[in-house]
Amino acid sequence: MPFPSAKKLLALALLLAPAAALRAQTTPPAPPKTNDTTTPLHLLKPDYPVPYGQAKAEDVRQVLDRVYGYLDAATPAELVDKKTNAPITDRRKFNPDAIIKPGDFRLTSYEWGVTYAGMLRASEVTGDPKYAAYTLSRTKFLAELVPYFQAYQVAHPEAGTPVRSVLQPHALDDAGALCAAMIKAQRAGATADLRPLINRFMDFIMTKEYRLPDGTLARNRPQPNTLWLDDLYMSVPALAQMGKLTGERRYYDEAVKQVSQFAPRMFDDSKGLYRHGWVQDMAEHPEFHWARANGWAILTKVELLDVLPADHPGRPAVLKLLRAHARGLADRQAGSGFWHQLLDRPDSYLETSATAIYCYAIAHAINQGWLDAKVYGPMTLLAWNAVSTKVNDLGQVEGVCVGTGMGFDPAFYYYRPVNVYAAHGYGPVLLAGAEILQLLKQHPYGINDSSVQLLK
């Protein structure tokens, strides 16, 4: 092909020149360089991993409603024949095949004691009776099952009836959390007579659970004469509530005694954290600061302070311990708002149930005036924002460590599974959401220089 002549090239250039000029006129100028002189860099939006500064009452209520809706459907209070699944409506004739209709969770577990308490607190704060109705209906159901199964259980003590742990408690896990919740339900106006169950649980705690020679509640696993931090929650709140119910000082005294005798063995003053376990015959003790056990411990202290008389001589020491523990936990909150499975090991995973417990306990302490709202409020709102991301559309709580014994090596804690059917997450989330609603009522917050600040 012959090369175009100079004349043709000139004509083509003349044709294209207006288009090039037009493009030059319409191309927008380059944006100004982003630097300290052109942009208020301190106002740039950070890439937060969870919502920041967005705790609104209506959003909290939606989370609580999702959890309630799921649990109400997933935990039926109905007696059925395990062979036919047919409802048992006639309680006059005993059926040895009778069971509680299977759901996603057990109505008699200690985790469900926490859930019952969470429902009561949610109802108290929101004014919505449906939450309390959940607890009152299911504790009434359990109270009615006791006489139905009692004679059979006595005749067949090894039979795995649905209320065996109620009729024959064998551990603090069987007794404490359910007992505390039932006392709260009784005080909240339960129509069922829960007192026989309460008395049975309390008798186990006071007279039957294994103790060290000084009276400290203990277990003989995984080693002889072992203290489990979990056992503070499995005993003290029930003792404290029994003191409130009966007015008998001895229950308050026993509750304070347990807290005060656990602390020197298990609380590390330098870290502001509890170790999970303590073994009497060891010169050194396992140094694993498991998150949920620390949750049970701080929850125990706020439960005790809620009802402990103002003039009780043990109250100042419990309050001092609460403040020291809250400080230690605050120092280890991750930037995402969660806490780690092992609190002082940030390469362990972030865990939901402990985060929810801390959220509740610290928010409650703020609302009661035991902790400074301006110091601890922002971290508590951040914790709730984190927890709220773990409640899925079905109302299930994700990221919850399953039931956990005591280990003497890190791998045991690092690799505990998480599961939406780990019952430990539901009561804490209900408690946390309810208390955050109360916090928002008492202590409004705002954004100042991009950070959350409580205004009063």
Side-chain angles (χ1 to χ4, degrees):
M1 178 184 293
F3 191 78
S5 65
K7 185 175 180 179
K8 289 182 178 179
L9 288 173
L10 178 60
L12 180 62
L14 290 173
L15 286 171
L16 295 176
L22 181 62
R23 284 197 302 273
Q25 292 172 5
T26 58
T27 301
K33 184 178 181 180
T34 300
N35 58 31
D36 191 47
T37 63
T38 64
T39 306
L41 299 177
H42 68 286
L43 296 178
L44 291 177
K45 185 172 177 57
D47 187 19
Y48 291 116
V50 300
Y52 184 81
Q54 298 178 34
K56 298 178 182 178
E58 57 268 27
D59 295 335
V60 179
R61 282 292 301 269
Q62 288 179 10
V63 173
L64 291 176
D65 283 343
R66 287 207 306 277
V67 174
Y68 166 83
Y70 167 59
L71 295 184
D72 192 46
T75 54
E78 185 178 0
L79 200 65
V80 299
D81 187 302
K82 67 181 178 182
K83 294 179 179 177
T84 65
N85 206 36
I88 297 174
T89 56
D90 185 357
R91 304 281 179 88
R92 292 171 298 180
K93 182 179 179 181
F94 180 72
N95 181 347
D97 292 321
I99 60 169
I100 297 173
K101 185 175 182 179
D104 289 349
F105 304 99
R106 293 176 294 118
L107 298 182
T108 57
S109 70
Y110 73 83
E111 301 97 328
W112 236 241
V114 188
T115 300
Y116 296 140
M119 290 285 188
L120 291 173
R121 183 60 177 154
S123 199
E124 183 180 9
V125 173
T126 65
D128 190 334
K130 71 184 180 190
Y131 299 107
Y134 177 95
T135 293
L136 299 180
S137 65
R138 282 159 177 82
T139 53
K140 181 175 185 290
F141 173 68
L142 294 178
E144 292 171 347
L145 290 189
V146 166
Y148 181 77
F149 283 101
Q150 187 159 5
Y152 182 81
Q153 190 76 72
V154 170
H156 305 84
E158 299 305 315
T161 72
V163 289
R164 180 183 175 189
S165 62
V166 176
L167 288 165
Q168 300 174 344
H170 284 86
L172 289 174
D173 288 0
D174 294 337
L178 273 177
C179 183
M182 287 185 177
I183 296 174
K184 290 179 180 181
Q186 196 82 73
R187 290 173 52 210
T191 58
D193 182 10
L194 303 177
R195 192 61 184 269
L197 283 70
I198 292 167
N199 290 344
R200 190 186 305 269
F201 289 139
M202 190 52 54
D203 178 64
F204 179 83
I205 295 169
M206 290 290 283
T207 70
K208 294 183 172 60
E209 174 64 15
Y210 181 74
R211 294 172 183 248
L212 300 183
D214 67 356
T216 306
L217 294 163
R219 309 189 196 190
N220 280 314
R221 64 181 179 92
Q223 299 289 337
N225 298 317
T226 298
L227 300 191
W228 291 54
L229 185 57
D230 319 52
D231 283 346
L232 276 180
Y233 183 77
M234 305 306 162
S235 59
V236 170
L239 291 164
Q241 287 294 325
M242 196 66 173
K244 182 69 174 180
L245 182 67
T246 65
E248 294 185 42
R249 195 87 170 188
R250 64 189 179 108
Y251 295 114
Y252 293 131
D253 293 344
E254 182 66 22
V256 170
K257 171 184 171 180
Q258 294 303 323
V259 171
S260 63
Q261 292 185 178
F262 266 70
R265 293 166 164 128
M266 307 190 77
F267 189 68
D268 185 333
D269 292 296
S270 66
K271 293 183 177 181
L273 302 175
Y274 286 86
R275 58 175 62 91
H276 186 198
W278 180 93
V279 182
Q280 180 174 268
D281 296 332
M282 286 183 170
E284 294 184 58
H285 302 280
E287 287 290 338
F288 295 102
H289 305 287
W290 182 40
R292 191 158 64 227
N294 271 264
W296 297 137
I298 195 168
L299 184 56
T300 292
K301 291 189 282 286
V302 299
E303 290 266 326
L304 176 54
L305 289 168
D306 267 343
V307 296
L308 190 65
D311 64 350
H312 194 284
R315 188 176 179 88
V318 176
L319 186 56
K320 181 180 179 180
L321 191 57
L322 168 69
R323 289 170 174 159
H325 196 190
R327 182 69 264 161
L329 293 173
D331 290 345
R332 286 163 180 81
Q333 186 178 25
S336 63
F338 291 97
W339 276 265
H340 291 275
Q341 166 81 337
L342 287 177
L343 291 167
D344 54 348
R345 300 197 183 201
D347 60 333
S348 62
Y349 65 80
L350 299 170
E351 205 278 330
T352 305
S353 67
T355 300
I357 296 173
Y358 303 157
C359 179
Y360 167 75
I362 295 174
H364 190 71
I366 292 169
N367 290 335
Q368 295 297 318
W370 304 327
L371 292 176
D372 189 314
K374 293 182 179 179
V375 173
Y376 290 95
M379 58 162 280
T380 307
L381 292 172
L382 179 63
W384 171 256
N385 287 347
V387 167
S388 70
T389 68
K390 292 298 185 178
V391 179
N392 65 28
D393 290 343
L394 297 176
Q396 297 170 319
V397 180
E398 301 172 345
V400 175
C401 175
V402 300
T404 298
M406 185 183 298
F408 294 177
D409 65 85
F412 173 77
Y413 294 98
Y414 271 65
Y415 297 102
R416 294 300 292 158
V418 296
N419 197 290
V420 295
Y421 299 113
H424 314 71
Y426 291 89
V429 168
L430 289 164
L431 287 167
E435 207 61 38
I436 287 295
L437 286 174
Q438 188 65 33
L439 183 76
L440 294 174
K441 292 177 187 177
Q442 294 182 207
H443 301 282
Y445 75 93
I447 303 295
N448 188 329
D449 277 345
S450 304
S451 71
V452 172
Q453 301 287 328
L454 265 67
L455 304 179
K456 68 174 185 177

